[in-house]
Amino acid sequence: MAAAEGGEEAIVAEGEAVVYEEELLQNPYSLKLWLRYLQVTGSGKKGKSEVSFSQRKLIFERALKALPGSYKLWNMYLRERRDRIKTKCISDPAYEALNNTYERALVFMHKMPRIWLEYCKFLRIQRLVNRTRRTFDRALRSLPITQHDKIWKEYTKFAKEAQVPEMACRVFRRYLKLEPDSVEEYIEFLKKHDMWNESAVLLAQALNRDTFMSKTGKSKHQLWLELCDICTKHAPEITGLKVEPIVRGALKRFTDDVGKLWTSLSDYYIRLGHFEKARDIFEEGISTVVTVRDFSMVFDAYAKFEETMISAKMEEDGDEEGAGGEADDLDVEGGDDMDLRLARLQFLLDRRAELLCSVRLRQNPHNVHEWHKRVKIFEEQDAPDKVIKAFAEAVQTVDPVKADGKPHSLWVAFARYYEDNDDCDSARDILERATQVPYRTVEDLAQVWCEYAEMELRHDEFEKALALLTRAVQVSDRILRMKATEVSNLPVQQRVWKNTKVWSMLADLEESLGTLETTSEVYERMIELKVVTPQIMLNYVHMLEEGKHFEKSFNVMEKGVNSFEWPFSKDLWLTYLNKFVERYQGSKIERARDLFEQALEKIPMAEAKPVYLKYAKLEEEHGLIKNAMAVYDRAAKSIDINERYDLYIEYINKATEFFGVTKTRPVYEAAVQNVAQGRIKDIAVRYADLERTLGEVDRARAIYVYGSQYCDPGKEEELWERWHAFEVRHGNEDTFREMLRIKRSVSLQFDQRHVSTSDTAQGLIEQGPSAKKQKVSNDMEALEREMMEGEMGMMQGAPSQSKGGDIVQMGGEQMVPPSAPAAKNTDEIDIDDDDDGD
């Protein structure tokens, strides 16, 4: 006792320990005193660390004996002891001592989850699997259920790390009763340990729960595909589920992955060794998919399966080396089935085009083009039964209203197939049925009637063809009395009489087989029903002309031009006028004039030029020249301004031909007033040449002056060159100066229109208005002076180049002798000082 007291005195003789001991003797149940005491003893010197830990351990034990229910004391004590031994080996006795301390703590702290978790973690460090598992179970039994989630999180982590699958499975099964939505964690564990059956069952159960929500963020679609992959790729291990109903359920739910699911289901049976069942699945898949992508996926997998079967058989035969072995389930009565396997593969490859066409038709059963392709495939296979079946299925399936293409072409092709095989009666039956189909447009039904008639014509059944077309265009008086809107709502069978194609074919047949009277009745009926076109009217006229019924043909054309507006009546008018003039020439000139006047009233002036020319030609050849000139004059003032120049030239030529050149002056004067502005210079040049030829120099000069206002000297030089030559031959110094002045004035006008003056304008703005006016004035004066000096120098030098004078006075006119040579480069400006001095 004395030794102990001496030891205690040695331990607590330092610092404030004595004070705390005295206070604890008086109040041993004060938690604050114990905590402060532990804090003081924890700040001992470094050289006495072992003594310090022993002291603290003793203090902790004394404190816990006095306060066994204090969580803080237990937590501090356990943490300090755990930190003390963490560097030691797990087989050290200190670990077991600490385990016992934890057990003592849990006697009082069994409701504290942190103590349980730290204890379990400490046991996991020691690799005590069974003891850890039992401790987790004790914790679950001791703690309230509201705190179980903290324990289960570590418990499941321990179960996955323990490398004891059976124990982990039992732990997870218990955990899923509390947290069924955490099944994905268990499934991943099962997949990692190749427990495919239980993982598939759990995943299926989860998918069957409507309230299930994936904690990993996966959608139902992804979970379904994952389930299908597990079931099909590990078929032998799956015993707790019916795989085929699961995959078929996914096929109904998820149409975007149909190809993948069909391939997976086939793969399931292949892995089970049920090859015939796998073929059935493949066949069902390629016959039900509706997209080309899914079809390609299933078909490629099917072909690869057949190739694999052939390869397996070849390897088997190679291993047996000719020795007879046990026949598999594909052997044909004990024989070699290699030929059968090859035939299966070839048959599959041969059907690819047909199967692909079926896929497209499942996408759109009203696709006429695909039906034709399907028929063509069977025709190439030389399979009449399949061709007929395809045609029958097509005409029954395709809805004319929804059809993508021309639905009547299926009926026509169907009938043509029978016709090509010498079965005309069946072809007629098909076409008769085709005429009763409610097509979307009248054109489709009209095409059927025409094909029907053409088939009869190919077999020389002319009367039947004529009767068919007559029956097609029959119309009741009740329908004729209906309004247009009411007629448009009738079935196409009651509106085929409005189709010009059927009427045209009927008219052609009547013209070929009937008489002129019967054909005329058809055409007149068409005119009465207002189903004619300008071309049909022209055909009618041509037929009447061949029959020498000219007056009747003119009556028909009269009806035509009155029935159609421009521009549809253009060909009718031109044909009418040509035929009438050709037939009667000048014998019915008044009637012809009336026709031309009527035509000019209805034809737009922009397109009336050909009619005016025909009218004028008629007057020239069979009427009065005066009237012809009047027609030209009307035409020149009426037609499009861009076409007037050519017409005026024709007018001038005709006036010259019939009245002489002197009578063309009024025409020229009208021309320069009425032609397009760009053509005025051309008219002026021709007019001036005429006046110069007649010796009217002053009139010619005046014309040049007028025409020059529309002629840019920098671009259009013809008029200025001619005027220059004219002044050289017939002018004097004053007139030449006047020409140069006009030329400069016109040039400046055109320059102001086309030349950009942005840079100079800015400078002029800065200098002010007065500087601008002065600059322009100076520039014009300098230019005028330079041009005048150059031109006059040229004219003064001209006499030295001829024997006589340059300008000779002849009868009041200034004429240049014929021998005078033409000046060179008339636009050159010569300002040389030597020329001025000569």
Side-chain angles (χ1 to χ4, degrees):
M1 186 67 182
E5 290 178 357
E8 289 184 7
E9 290 177 358
I11 293 174
V12 300
E14 297 180 359
E16 301 177 357
V18 176
V19 178
Y20 284 102
E21 286 290 345
E22 292 176 354
E23 291 182 1
L24 287 172
L25 289 174
Q26 297 176 5
N27 188 10
Y29 304 107
S30 175
L31 177 61
K32 291 183 179 181
L33 285 176
W34 286 112
L35 293 176
R36 284 201 296 269
Y37 189 15
L38 289 170
Q39 184 178 3
V40 170
T41 57
S43 58
K45 296 182 180 180
K46 294 181 180 179
K48 298 182 180 180
S49 59
E50 188 66 32
V51 176
S52 177
F53 176 73
S54 301
Q55 177 187 3
R56 289 177 61 78
K57 182 178 178 182
L58 179 60
I59 295 172
F60 271 118
E61 290 291 344
R62 290 168 57 199
L64 290 172
K65 184 176 180 182
L67 299 170
S70 174
Y71 171 76
K72 284 188 176 182
L73 289 175
W74 280 114
N75 189 37
M76 291 174 61
Y77 184 32
L78 294 172
R79 183 170 63 250
E80 189 167 334
R81 291 192 62 180
R82 189 169 62 247
D83 294 339
R84 182 77 179 175
I85 66 171
K86 65 181 179 181
T87 57
K88 297 181 180 181
C89 179
I90 59 175
S91 59
D92 192 279
Y95 278 86
E96 184 61 29
L98 184 55
N99 290 340
N100 295 332
T101 304
Y102 268 109
E103 291 291 344
R104 288 167 49 210
L106 289 173
V107 173
F108 303 98
M109 298 287 107
H110 59 277
K111 298 298 181 181
M112 297 296 174
R114 176 55 52 192
I115 303 296
W116 286 109
L117 291 174
E118 289 180 357
Y119 185 25
C120 293
K121 183 178 181 181
F122 186 65
L123 292 174
R124 287 167 60 188
I125 294 174
Q126 301 175 60
R127 301 292 189 271
L128 302 175
V129 177
N130 285 333
R131 190 169 181 178
T132 305
R133 176 178 59 82
R134 293 191 186 97
T135 303
F136 273 116
D137 292 340
R138 288 166 53 202
L140 291 172
R141 288 193 296 269
S142 299
L143 294 173
I145 194 170
T146 55
Q147 295 179 339
H148 281 196
D149 56 333
K150 299 177 182 179
I151 303 300
W152 277 116
K153 183 177 180 180
E154 297 298 325
Y155 200 178
T156 55
K157 187 183 296 184
F158 157 72
K160 290 188 288 185
E161 294 174 355
Q163 300 298 325
V164 183
E166 183 61 28
M167 180 201 72
C169 291
R170 294 177 181 274
V171 171
F172 271 109
R173 288 167 192 161
R174 292 169 54 198
Y175 176 50
L176 291 180
K177 293 180 180 179
L178 178 67
E179 291 289 342
D181 287 343
S182 299
V183 67
E184 289 177 278
E185 185 180 358
Y186 184 27
I187 292 173
E188 291 299 325
F189 172 80
L190 294 174
K191 290 164 63 177
K192 185 177 179 181
H193 291 82
D194 296 334
M195 299 180 183
W196 302 106
N197 183 58
E198 188 174 356
S199 65
V201 172
L202 290 174
L203 185 54
Q205 291 175 354
L207 288 171
N208 288 332
R209 294 200 306 269
D210 296 334
T211 58
F212 174 72
M213 294 294 291
S214 173
K215 290 187 175 182
T216 58
K218 294 182 179 179
S219 63
K220 285 288 186 73
H221 174 244
Q222 292 174 312
L223 294 174
W224 267 99
L225 295 181
E226 183 179 350
L227 175 60
C228 293
D229 286 342
I230 293 174
C231 294
T232 55
K233 292 181 180 180
H234 307 280
E237 290 89 352
I238 305 301
T239 58
L241 292 174
K242 294 181 179 180
V243 177
E244 184 171 351
I246 292 175
V247 179
R248 290 187 179 276
L251 285 169
K252 294 178 180 179
R253 283 173 174 262
F254 311 111
T255 56
D256 292 340
D257 297 287
V258 169
K260 181 180 179 181
L261 291 171
W262 280 115
T263 305
S264 299
L265 184 56
S266 302
D267 187 43
Y268 169 73
Y269 285 108
I270 292 172
R271 293 177 186 274
L272 291 178
H274 302 163
F275 302 123
E276 289 299 329
K277 182 65 175 177
R279 286 192 181 92
D280 294 341
I281 297 298
F282 275 126
E283 289 290 341
E284 185 180 356
I286 59 178
S287 62
T288 55
V289 294
V290 294
T291 64
V292 176
R293 178 178 63 87
D294 293 334
F295 169 79
S296 299
M297 189 180 300
V298 178
F299 185 88
D300 293 344
Y302 193 4
K304 186 176 181 181
F305 163 68
E306 294 292 355
E307 291 173 358
T308 305
M309 296 296 293
I310 294 172
S311 300
K313 183 63 177 177
M314 293 175 66
E315 293 176 1
E316 181 183 348
D317 293 344
D319 294 340
E320 292 179 357
E321 295 181 356
E326 294 183 359
D328 59 12
D329 61 335
L330 297 179
D331 286 342
V332 182
E333 295 181 358
D336 187 6
D337 67 336
M338 178 60 73
D339 294 338
L340 176 60
R341 300 188 185 198
L342 292 172
R344 279 174 172 164
L345 178 59
Q346 187 61 41
F347 179 65
L348 175 63
L349 297 177
D350 292 341
R351 289 190 301 144
R352 179 179 175 84
E354 175 188 348
L355 295 171
L356 184 59
C357 185
S358 299
V359 171
R360 292 197 175 99
L361 288 175
R362 283 194 290 275
Q363 287 180 347
N364 181 12
H366 307 290
N367 191 332
V368 176
H369 178 66
E370 288 298 331
W371 282 111
H372 282 295
K373 286 177 62 176
R374 185 176 182 82
V375 170
K376 186 177 180 181
I377 292 170
F378 292 141
E379 287 179 348
E380 293 174 352
Q381 296 176 0
D382 194 16
D385 294 340
K386 291 185 177 180
V387 172
I388 294 173
K389 184 178 179 181
F391 271 126
E393 186 179 357
V395 296
Q396 291 176 2
T397 303
V398 175
D399 186 348
V401 178
K402 302 177 183 178
D404 184 7
K406 298 179 179 179
H408 71 274
S409 61
L410 290 171
W411 291 94
V412 173
F414 195 6
R416 180 65 66 87
Y417 184 76
Y418 274 111
E419 182 187 355
D420 293 341
N421 289 276
D422 300 327
D423 191 355
C424 294
D425 292 336
S426 298
R428 290 189 182 96
D429 292 339
I430 290 170
L431 289 174
E432 282 291 341
R433 290 167 55 194
T435 59
Q436 304 303 319
V437 175
Y439 296 103
R440 184 168 47 191
T441 63
V442 176
E443 186 63 28
D444 293 339
L445 180 58
Q447 189 66 33
V448 172
W449 281 110
C450 292
E451 292 289 343
Y452 197 176
E454 287 177 2
M455 186 195 74
E456 298 293 355
L457 293 175
R458 285 193 293 269
H459 296 278
D460 299 332
E461 298 289 346
F462 305 113
E463 296 299 329
K464 288 185 178 180
L466 193 60
L468 280 173
L469 295 177
T470 304
R471 179 160 63 95
V473 297
Q474 286 180 352
V475 56
S476 63
D477 295 337
R478 179 182 63 84
I479 295 177
L480 294 177
R481 290 193 296 269
M482 288 183 177
K483 296 180 181 180
T485 54
E486 296 176 347
V487 173
S488 62
N489 295 326
L490 294 174
V492 291
Q493 281 74 16
Q494 297 182 20
R495 289 186 285 134
V496 73
W497 59 272
K498 299 183 69 175
N499 187 269
T500 57
K501 187 173 184 178
V502 180
W503 279 106
S504 298
M505 189 172 183
L506 177 59
D508 292 342
L509 280 179
E510 283 289 357
E511 189 174 351
S512 301
L513 305 176
T515 62
L516 182 63
E517 289 74 14
T518 57
T519 308
S520 298
E521 290 177 1
V522 173
Y523 279 113
E524 291 296 335
R525 182 61 172 168
M526 294 169 65
I527 296 173
E528 179 185 353
L529 296 176
K530 298 180 180 181
V531 293
V532 291
T533 63
Q535 185 59 48
I536 292 175
M537 299 294 288
L538 292 175
N539 294 340
Y540 189 14
V541 169
H542 182 68
M543 184 198 71
L544 292 174
E545 287 181 350
E546 289 181 348
K548 307 300 182 182
H549 295 271
F550 298 103
E551 193 61 36
K552 188 174 181 180
S553 69
F554 294 145
N555 293 335
V556 172
M557 282 191 282
E558 188 72 30
K559 293 179 181 178
V561 296
N562 291 328
S563 300
F564 297 99
E565 298 293 333
W566 191 270
F568 306 107
S569 61
K570 178 179 179 180
D571 294 335
L572 285 172
W573 271 116
L574 296 179
T575 303
Y576 191 8
L577 297 174
N578 289 336
K579 296 290 185 182
F580 191 88
V581 173
E582 180 183 353
R583 174 66 181 166
Y584 294 110
Q585 298 183 354
S587 60
K588 295 186 178 182
I589 187 66
E590 292 300 329
R591 183 176 172 185
R593 286 171 179 163
D594 291 340
L595 283 178
F596 276 105
E597 292 297 336
Q598 292 178 26
L600 291 173
E601 289 178 1
K602 295 186 178 181
I603 297 176
M605 289 297 102
E607 302 182 27
K609 181 180 176 181
V611 179
Y612 275 116
L613 294 177
K614 292 179 185 294
Y615 194 3
K617 185 177 180 181
L618 172 68
E619 292 291 352
E620 291 175 23
E621 296 177 353
H622 308 291
L624 300 175
I625 299 300
K626 178 181 178 182
N627 292 344
M629 295 300 103
V631 171
Y632 277 118
D633 187 62
R634 285 175 56 193
K637 296 178 181 179
S638 302
I639 65 173
D640 185 61
I641 192 171
N642 295 320
E643 297 182 351
R644 291 180 184 179
Y645 175 77
D646 296 332
L647 187 61
Y648 266 113
I649 298 301
E650 181 72 17
Y651 187 8
I652 291 169
N653 293 336
K654 294 296 182 181
T656 304
E657 178 183 352
F658 295 118
F659 300 106
V661 293
T662 57
K663 297 296 184 180
T664 59
R665 282 173 175 164
V667 181
Y668 275 113
E669 292 174 0
V672 296
Q673 297 294 329
N674 295 319
V675 297
Q677 186 173 334
R679 287 292 194 171
I680 292 178
K681 57 181 177 51
D682 300 323
I683 294 293
V685 169
R686 297 172 72 96
Y687 193 8
D689 289 344
L690 170 66
E691 294 295 350
R692 185 180 58 81
T693 303
L694 296 176
E696 297 290 342
V697 177
D698 293 336
R699 290 177 62 88
R701 183 176 290 111
I703 293 169
Y704 277 125
V705 171
Y706 179 81
S708 66
Q709 305 301 314
Y710 304 95
C711 184
D712 185 1
K715 297 181 180 179
E716 300 163 342
E717 300 178 354
E718 181 182 3
L719 182 141
W720 297 102
E721 291 176 355
R722 285 177 175 267
W723 193 3
H724 185 278
F726 172 80
E727 293 296 345
V728 170
R729 292 176 62 89
H730 304 291
N732 54 33
E733 184 175 346
D734 294 334
T735 60
F736 201 89
R737 285 178 179 273
E738 181 65 15
M739 182 200 71
L740 294 177
R741 186 192 67 78
I742 294 173
K743 185 175 183 179
R744 289 192 299 273
S745 176
V746 173
S747 177
L748 287 174
Q749 289 178 2
F750 278 97
D751 288 344
Q752 289 175 359
R753 296 178 186 175
H754 299 97
V755 177
S756 175
T757 58
S758 58
D759 296 336
T760 57
Q762 184 64 29
L764 292 174
I765 291 172
E766 295 175 356
Q767 296 177 9
S770 60
K772 178 178 179 182
K773 291 180 180 179
Q774 184 179 0
K775 176 175 173 50
V776 173
S777 176
N778 294 338
D779 291 344
M780 291 182 64
E781 291 176 359
L783 180 62
E784 182 178 357
R785 184 167 55 255
E786 290 173 0
M787 292 182 65
M788 183 61 68
E789 290 174 355
E791 295 291 343
M792 293 308 297
M794 180 194 67
M795 292 186 66
Q796 291 174 3
S800 63
Q801 299 175 5
S802 61
K803 294 180 180 180
D806 180 45
I807 301 177
V808 181
Q809 194 76 17
M810 295 181 61
E813 296 181 358
Q814 297 171 343
M815 302 294 291
V816 178
S819 60
K824 297 181 179 179
N825 194 4
T826 58
D827 291 335
E828 181 180 358
I829 300 176
D830 190 357
I831 58 175
D832 195 350
D833 294 339
D834 295 339
D835 291 343
D836 294 340
D838 289 344

